[in-house]
C-alpha cells in the first residue's frame, strides 16, 4: 500500500513526540543523579558535624557539672553565713535593746514593743537551741524588765490621764435624756484618743505575750476611783449650789424654758414634783417658810436622785471604755469589780435614807417619810437601765437595786399604815383644841399628807400592793394599785372623821363642837374638791362630796339649835293667851321677863360666838344669813305683838333694847373678833 502524505505527517509527529519524551526522561535521570550526589554530600557533612558535636559534649558536660557543684557550694556558704548572721544577731539583741528597755516605753511605745518582740524571739531561740547559754538569762531578764515597764506604763497612763467627769458634763448628759434632742447618746471622753490607743496596745500585748492579767486589776482600781470621784464631785456641786433652785449646767439652762427661780427642780426621769409647792402654800400660810432642815432634806433627795441617774450614765460610759481595753472574756468580771465601790456607796446612801425615814416614822414625822417616795419612783423608772448596765455581773451585784427598792417599799408601806393609825390614836387633849373651833392641826396635816401623796400615786399604790399576798395584786397592777390607794385614802379620812367627832366632845359647848366639826368637814371637802383626791376617793365611795355636804349641814343644824335658848324667849307659840285688853300684873311681868331673857341671851351668845371662827367666807355668810332670818323673824313677830301691841311697861326702852335691824346687825358680827 502506498503511504499517503497525510499518514507520513502523522508518523513524523509521533516520532517528534517520542523524541521529546526521551529528552525529558534523560533530564529527569540527570537530575536524580545530581540529587543523589547532593544527598551523599549532606550526609557526609552531617556525619562530620555529629562527630564534632559529640566531641564538644564530651568536653563541656564535665565542666558544667563542676560549675553546678561550685554554685551549690556557694549557695550553701551564703545560707550558712546568713544563718550565722541571724544567730549572731540574737547574741547582739540584748546589747541593742538594753538602752531602750532601760529608758522605758514612755513616748515611743511602738519602738519599745518592737524591741520587746526582738527580745522575745531571742528568748525563744536560746530556749530551743542553747538553753544553757548565759545569753538566755540576759534576754529573759530584759524581757521581764520590759514587761514590768509596760505594766508600769499602763498604770501611769491611766493614773495621769484619768480624770473625774466634771459635774456640769454629768448634768448635761442626764439632762440630754429629756431636754436636749440629738444628745441622747452622748459619749464621755475619759482618755485622750492617743493615750487610749496606747493603753489598748499595751493591754493587747500584755494579754497576748505578757501572759499577765494583773493589769486588769490595776485598770478597775483606777477607773473605780475615778467613777467614785465623779459622783462625789456631783454631790459637792449640789452642796455648793444648794442656794440655787436648779444646779444644771449653763448649756442645759439655756435650753430650758423655765428659769430656775420660777420653778422647782425637775428631777431626772419623771414628772414635776411639787413637795415644795405644798410646803410653801399649805404649810407656809400657817407656819411660815420651810425650815432649813426641810431644805436640807430636799437637797439630799435631789442629790441622791441625780446620783442614781449619774451612776447609770457613767457606768454605761465606763463599760464602753472597758470594751476597748479589756479582753472580752474578762469584761463582765472587771466591770463588776469596777462599779462595786460606787454602787455600794449609792446603795448605802439609800439605806441611810431608809433608816432616816424609819426614824422619822417612829417620831410620827410623816412629811419627812415622804422623802423616800421620789427616790423609789426614780429607782423604779431607772431600773431597766440599771438591769441593762448590770447585765452579766454577779447575782449579788444585780440584786442590790431590787433589795433597796424592796426595803423602801416596805418602809413606805409601814409609814402609810402608821400614819393612818396615828390619826386614829391621836390623843384628845383639851390644850390641843383651838378656842375658836377652827380647823384642827390634825386635819390640816392629814390633808397636806394626802395632797403630797397625790404626787406619787403610782408609787404609793405600788407600796401598798407590795404588801399584798393575793394573786390579784400582780394581775391588775395599775388599776389594782389605784384601788388600793383609794381604799387607803378613805381609811385615813374615815379615821380622821371618827377622831374629829371624838375631839369635838372635848368642847363643853355643843354649839362650839358643831362649829369645830363644820369647819373641819368643810376644810376636808374643799381640799378634796381642789385636788385629784376627790376622784381617788370616788373610786371607793359613791358621791363622797354629797356625804361631806350632809355632814356639814348636820353640824349647821346642831349649831342653830344653840340659839333656841335665845329665841324660845320670844316665841309667840310659848306665850299664853292674854285675858283682855288690860294686862294683869302677872302677864306684864311675864312679857318683861321674856324681853329681858331675849336681851340677855342675845348679848351673851353674841359675845361668846363672836370669838368663834368660820374661816370659809361663804359658809360664814351662809350661817349668819340663816341665823339672822330665823332670829329676826321670831323677834320681829314677838316685838310686833307684845312690844308695840300692848302696854306692858311704863319704861319700854328698858326692855325693848334692840330693834329688829339691830338684832340682825349683832348676828352679822358673829365669828369676827375684829367687829
Amino acid at each position: 500500500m502506498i503511504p499517503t502524505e497525510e499518514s507520513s505527517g502523522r508518523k513524523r509527529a509521533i516520532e517528534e513526540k517520542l523524541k521529546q519524551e526521551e529528552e525529558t526522561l534523560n533530564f529527569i535521570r540527570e537530575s536524580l543523579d545530581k540529587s543523589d550526589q547532593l544527598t551523599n554530600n549532606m550526609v557526609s557533612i552531617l556525619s562530620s558535624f555529629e562527630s564534632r558535636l559529640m566531641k564538644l559534649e564530651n568536653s563541656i558536660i564535665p565542666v558544667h557539672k563542676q560549675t553546678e557543684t561550685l554554685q551549690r557550694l556557694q549557695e550553701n556558704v551564703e545560707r550558712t553565713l546568713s544563718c550565722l548572721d541571724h544567730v549572731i544577731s540574737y547574741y547582739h539583741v540584748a546589747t541593742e535593746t538594753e538602752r531602750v528597755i532601760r529608758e522605758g516605753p514612755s513616748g515611743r511605745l511602738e519602738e519599745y514593743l518592737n524591741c520587746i518582740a526582738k527580745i522575745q524571739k531571742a528568748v525563744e531561740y536560746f530556749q530551743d537551741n542553747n538553753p544553757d547559754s548565759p545569753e538566755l538569762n540576759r534576754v529573759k531578764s530584759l524581757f521581764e524588765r520590759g514587761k514590768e515597764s509596760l505594766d508600769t506604763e499602763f498604770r501611769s497612763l491611766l493614773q495621769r490621764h484619768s480624770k473625774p467627769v466634771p459635774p456640769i458634763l454629768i448634768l448635761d448628759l442626764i439632762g440630754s435624756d429629756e431636754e436636749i434632742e440629738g444628745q441622747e447618746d452622748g459619749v464621755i471622753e475619759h482618755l485622750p484618743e492617743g493615750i487610749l490607743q496606747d493603753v489598748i496596745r499595751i493591754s493587747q500585748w500584755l494579754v497576748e505575750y505578757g501572759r499577765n492579767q494583773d493589769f486588769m486589776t490595776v485598770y478597775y482600781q483606777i477607773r473605780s476611783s475615778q467613777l467614785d470621784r465623779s459622783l462625789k464631785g456631783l454631790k459637792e456641786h449640789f452642796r455648793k449650789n444648794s442656794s440655787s433652785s436648779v444646779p444644771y449646767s449653763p448649756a442645759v439652762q439655756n435650753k430650758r424654758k423655765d428659769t430656775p427661780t420660777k420653778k422647782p427642780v425637775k428631777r431626772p426621769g419623771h414628772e414635776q414634783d411639787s413637795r415644795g409647792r405644798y410646803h410653801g402654800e399649805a404649810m407656809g400660810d400657817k407656819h411660815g417658810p420651810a425650815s432649813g432642815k426641810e431644805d436640807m432634806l430636799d437637797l439630799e433627795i435631789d442629790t441622791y436622785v441625780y446620783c442614781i441617774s449619774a451612776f447609770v450614765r457613767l457606768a454605761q460610759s465606763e463599760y464602753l471604755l472597758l470594751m476597748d481595753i479589756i479582753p472580752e472574756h474578762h469584761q463582765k468580771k472587771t466591770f463588776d469589780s469596777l462599779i462595786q465601790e460606787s454602787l455600794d456607796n449609792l446603795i448605802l446612801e439609800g439605806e441611810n435614807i431608809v433608816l432616816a425615814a424609819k426614824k422619822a416614822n417612829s417620831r410620827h414625822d410623816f412629811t419627812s417619810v415622804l422623802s423616800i417616795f421620789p427616790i423609789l419612783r426614780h429607782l423604779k423608772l431607772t431600773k431597766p437601765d440599771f438591769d441593762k448596765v448590770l447585765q452579766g455581773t454577779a447575782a449579788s451585784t444585780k440584786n442590790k437595786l431590787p433589795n433597796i427598792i424592796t426595803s423602801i417599799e416596805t418602809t413606805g408601806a409601814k409609814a402609810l399604815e402608821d400614819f393612818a393609825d396615828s390619826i386614829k390614836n391621836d390623843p384628845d387633849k383639851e390644850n390641843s383644841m383651838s378656842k375658836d373651833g377652827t380647823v384642827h392641826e390634825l386635819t390640816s396635816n392629814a390633808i397636806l399628807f394626802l395632797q403630797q401623796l397625790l404626787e406619787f400615786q403610782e408609787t404609793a399604790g405600788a407600796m401598798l400592793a407590795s404588801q399584798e399576798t393575793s394573786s390579784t395584786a400582780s394581775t391588775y397592777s395599775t388599776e389594782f394599785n389605784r384601788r388600793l390607794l383609794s381604799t387607803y385614802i378613805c381609811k385615813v379620812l374615815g379615821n380622821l372623821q371618827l377622831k374629829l367627832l371624838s375631839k369635838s366632845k372635848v368642847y363643853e359647848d355643843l354649839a362650839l363642837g358643831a362649829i369645830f366639826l363644820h369647819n373641819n368637814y368643810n376644810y376636808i371637802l374643799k381640799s378634796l374638791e381642789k385636788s385629784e383626791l376627790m376622784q381617788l376617793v370616788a373610786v371607793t365611795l359613791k358621791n363622797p362630796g354629797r356625804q361631806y355636804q350632809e355632814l356639814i349641814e348636820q353640824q349647821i343644824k346642831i349649831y342653830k339649835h344653840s340659839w333656841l335658848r335665845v329665841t324660845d324667849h320670844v316665841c309667840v307659840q310659848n306665850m299664853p293667851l292674854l285675858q283682855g285688853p288690860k294686862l294683869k300684873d302677872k302677864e306684864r311681868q311675864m312679857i318683861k321677863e321674856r324681853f329681858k331673857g331675849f336681851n340677855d341671851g342675845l348679848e351673851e351668845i353674841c359675845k361668846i360666838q363672836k370669838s368663834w371662827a368660820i374661816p370659809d367666807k361663804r359658809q360664814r355668810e351662809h350661817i349668819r344669813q340663816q341665823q339672822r332670818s330665823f332670829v329676826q323673824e321670831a323677834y320681829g313677830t314677838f316685838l310686833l305683838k307684845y312690844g308695840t301691841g300692848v302696854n306692858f311697861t311704863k319704861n319700854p326702852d328698858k326692855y325693848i333694847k334692840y330693834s329688829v335691824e339691830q338684832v340682825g346687825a349683832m348676828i352679822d358680827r358673829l365669828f369676827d373678833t375684829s367687829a
Side-chain angles (χ1 to χ4, degrees):
M1 181 177 187
I2 300 173
T4 63
E5 186 176 350
E6 182 179 354
S7 62
S8 296
R10 286 180 186 153
K11 184 177 179 182
R12 284 194 300 274
I14 292 170
E15 288 175 352
E16 288 178 2
K17 188 173 184 182
L18 288 172
K19 186 179 180 181
Q20 289 177 353
E21 288 179 355
E22 185 177 357
E23 290 176 354
T24 301
L25 199 65
N26 289 333
F27 177 76
I28 292 172
R29 196 176 287 117
E30 289 175 359
S31 296
L32 287 173
D33 290 340
K34 288 181 180 179
S35 177
D36 288 340
Q37 186 179 0
L38 289 172
T39 299
N40 291 330
N41 291 336
M42 181 59 68
V43 169
S44 176
I45 292 170
L46 289 174
S47 296
S48 175
F49 181 75
E50 182 179 7
S51 175
R52 292 178 181 179
L53 186 60
M54 287 180 66
K55 289 180 181 179
L56 180 63
E57 185 177 351
N58 290 333
S59 301
I60 292 298
I61 285 176
V63 175
H64 178 69
K65 288 181 178 179
Q66 289 178 357
T67 303
E68 281 186 340
T69 302
L70 289 173
Q71 286 177 340
R72 280 197 299 272
L73 288 173
Q74 183 180 2
E75 288 174 358
N76 289 337
V77 169
E78 288 176 353
R79 281 198 294 268
T80 302
L81 290 174
S82 177
C83 288
L84 285 173
D85 288 341
H86 184 67
V87 170
I88 292 171
S89 70
Y90 289 129
Y91 285 87
H92 293 300
V93 164
T95 304
E96 292 173 351
T97 61
E98 187 173 14
R99 181 182 60 81
V100 175
I101 297 302
R102 185 176 62 250
E103 292 176 356
S106 181
R108 51 176 177 180
L109 181 61
E110 283 305 317
E111 180 186 358
Y112 194 86
L113 291 176
N114 289 334
C115 289
I116 290 281
K118 290 180 181 179
I119 295 170
Q120 187 175 11
K121 288 179 180 179
V123 171
E124 292 171 355
Y125 170 79
F126 289 120
Q127 284 177 336
D128 293 339
N129 298 282
N130 193 3
D132 297 328
S133 169
E135 287 297 325
L136 176 59
N137 293 330
R138 188 179 179 189
V139 290
K140 266 188 174 181
S141 175
L142 274 178
F143 183 80
E144 291 301 319
R145 190 192 305 175
K147 187 168 68 172
E148 290 174 3
S149 294
L150 286 173
D151 272 330
T152 303
E153 179 70 3
F154 184 86
R155 179 190 295 272
S156 176
L157 288 175
L158 281 177
Q159 286 180 332
R160 282 188 287 116
H161 297 282
S162 291
K163 306 291 183 185
V165 181
I168 299 301
L169 179 56
I170 297 175
L171 291 170
D172 283 349
L173 288 171
I174 297 172
S176 70
D177 290 339
E178 297 175 346
E179 300 186 32
I180 304 179
E181 296 295 332
Q183 292 188 12
E184 187 173 354
D185 298 325
V187 177
I188 303 172
E189 186 183 79
H190 294 288
L191 297 171
E193 183 61 28
I195 301 301
L196 175 60
Q197 294 306 317
D198 285 352
V199 170
I200 293 172
R201 190 82 174 83
I202 294 173
S203 71
Q204 290 173 342
W205 190 93
L206 289 173
V207 171
E208 187 174 355
Y209 302 108
R211 308 292 190 270
N212 184 359
Q213 296 183 5
D214 293 343
F215 77 94
M216 300 180 196
T217 302
V218 171
Y219 177 83
Y220 86 67
Q221 288 174 344
I222 293 174
R223 294 308 308 168
S224 174
S225 174
Q226 297 306 321
L227 176 60
D228 189 55
R229 288 177 63 192
S230 296
L231 292 173
K232 287 179 178 177
L234 181 62
K235 294 173 191 174
E236 183 66 15
H237 179 76
F238 271 82
R239 187 187 67 79
K240 289 181 178 179
N241 294 275
S242 59
S243 58
S244 175
S245 299
V246 182
Y248 277 101
S249 71
V252 177
Q253 285 186 19
N254 292 338
K255 291 175 170 54
R256 291 170 60 87
K257 293 181 179 178
D258 54 320
T259 58
T261 55
K262 290 184 179 178
K263 294 187 179 181
V265 168
K266 182 177 181 183
R267 295 191 179 101
H270 53 72
E271 67 270 18
Q272 182 69 50
D273 291 331
S274 61
R275 295 177 72 253
R277 184 185 70 208
Y278 283 118
H279 278 286
E281 294 179 1
M283 295 190 72
D285 293 343
K286 187 174 182 180
H287 304 289
S291 67
K293 182 180 178 181
E294 290 169 342
D295 290 341
M296 289 302 296
L297 180 61
D298 284 342
L299 177 63
E300 182 181 1
I301 295 167
D302 287 334
T303 302
Y304 188 65
V305 166
Y306 273 100
C307 284
I308 292 168
S309 293
F311 173 81
V312 173
R313 294 306 303 266
L314 292 174
Q316 288 172 339
S317 181
E318 287 291 345
Y319 191 74
L320 291 175
L321 177 66
L322 177 144
M323 289 172 64
D324 291 331
I325 299 172
I326 305 299
E328 184 176 357
H329 54 288
H330 291 286
Q331 288 174 1
K332 293 295 183 182
K333 183 179 179 181
T334 305
F335 179 70
D336 197 339
S337 301
L338 190 155
I339 63 173
Q340 280 303 314
E341 182 179 1
S342 296
L343 181 58
D344 286 343
N345 289 339
L346 200 64
I347 297 301
L348 179 61
E349 287 179 42
E351 290 172 349
N352 289 337
I353 291 173
V354 171
L355 181 61
K358 289 179 179 178
K359 291 180 179 179
N361 188 46
S362 65
R363 300 191 306 268
H364 286 191
D365 182 8
F366 298 107
T367 300
S368 295
V369 176
L370 285 172
S371 63
I372 64 175
F373 282 71
I375 293 173
L376 177 60
R377 177 169 63 185
H378 189 65
L379 282 173
K380 284 191 168 185
L381 287 171
T382 315
K383 188 176 182 299
D385 292 331
F386 253 100
D387 293 342
K388 187 176 180 180
V389 169
L390 301 182
Q391 188 177 9
T393 57
S396 58
T397 303
K398 293 178 183 177
N399 291 334
K400 288 180 179 180
L401 183 70
N403 289 343
I404 191 68
I405 287 176
T406 300
S407 177
I408 293 176
E409 282 186 328
T410 303
T411 302
K414 185 178 187 305
L416 291 176
E417 292 303 319
D418 288 352
F419 176 73
D421 291 340
S422 72
I423 292 176
K424 181 170 61 177
N425 300 323
D426 193 72
D428 298 332
K429 296 180 180 179
E430 186 175 352
N431 58 5
S432 71
M433 303 298 289
S434 61
K435 303 300 182 183
D436 58 3
T438 191
V439 177
H440 197 276
E441 186 180 10
L442 180 67
T443 303
S444 59
N445 287 343
I447 294 300
L448 173 62
F449 184 85
L450 294 179
Q451 286 174 331
Q452 291 173 329
L453 207 58
L454 279 178
E455 297 298 318
F456 314 101
Q457 291 184 44
E458 293 184 10
T459 304
M463 278 183 177
L464 297 169
S466 68
Q467 307 306 304
E468 295 288 321
T469 56
S470 65
S471 59
T472 314
S474 58
T475 306
Y476 306 101
S477 57
T478 303
E479 186 57 33
F480 181 80
N481 294 353
R482 183 174 171 82
R483 287 203 303 271
L484 278 180
L485 183 58
S486 173
T487 302
Y488 172 77
I489 292 174
C490 289
K491 177 182 178 181
V492 171
L493 293 176
N495 288 352
L496 179 60
Q497 184 177 334
L498 291 174
K499 179 49 61 176
L500 290 173
L501 188 61
S502 173
K503 287 182 178 295
S504 70
K505 295 176 182 177
V506 173
Y507 292 112
E508 295 181 1
D509 193 327
L510 293 179
L512 181 54
I515 291 296
F516 169 78
L517 289 175
H518 163 274
N519 286 332
N520 282 272
Y521 292 154
N522 185 66
Y523 179 82
I524 294 171
L525 176 60
K526 298 303 180 186
S527 298
L528 294 179
E529 289 175 341
K530 289 178 181 178
S531 67
E532 198 180 336
L533 283 172
M534 184 65 82
Q535 289 90 325
L536 272 173
V537 173
V539 173
T540 301
L541 295 179
K542 185 178 181 180
N543 203 344
R546 178 175 295 178
Q547 293 185 32
Y548 273 102
Q549 195 60 51
E550 290 174 354
L551 289 173
I552 292 169
E553 292 298 331
Q554 181 182 354
Q555 298 309 314
I556 292 175
K557 288 180 182 178
I558 294 174
Y559 164 74
K560 289 171 66 176
H561 191 76
S562 67
W563 278 81
L564 290 179
R565 68 175 185 266
V566 177
T567 56
D568 277 351
H569 290 289
V570 291
C571 182
V572 293
Q573 286 82 4
N574 295 337
M575 291 291 289
L577 293 174
L578 300 179
Q579 299 300 320
K582 188 175 181 181
L583 298 178
K584 297 179 180 179
D585 290 343
K586 182 179 179 181
E587 292 174 336
R588 282 196 294 271
Q589 186 60 33
M590 181 176 61
I591 294 173
K592 291 178 183 179
E593 289 176 357
R594 292 299 180 94
F595 272 111
K596 187 176 186 304
F598 174 80
N599 293 335
D600 293 345
L602 177 66
E603 290 169 356
E604 180 185 7
I605 201 169
C606 285
K607 180 181 179 182
I608 293 172
Q609 295 186 4
K610 181 181 180 181
S611 62
W612 294 358
I614 299 180
D616 189 315
K617 183 178 180 180
R618 292 183 62 182
Q619 285 292 313
R620 185 168 64 244
E621 292 301 325
H622 173 67
I623 293 174
R624 283 174 177 173
Q625 189 272 330
Q626 282 192 335
Q627 207 57 37
R628 184 174 61 247
S629 298
F630 171 69
V631 176
Q632 280 184 323
E633 181 180 356
Y635 181 65
T637 302
F638 188 84
L639 183 61
L640 181 63
K641 186 170 184 179
Y642 297 102
T644 58
V646 296
N647 185 14
F648 69 95
T649 179
K650 293 180 180 178
N651 299 308
D653 292 341
K654 181 180 177 181
Y655 299 99
I656 306 176
K657 295 176 64 175
Y658 304 104
S659 66
V660 174
E661 290 73 17
Q662 288 175 323
V663 169
M666 292 176 69
I667 294 174
D668 284 340
R669 290 193 291 272
L670 295 177
F671 320 119
D672 186 0
T673 55
S674 63

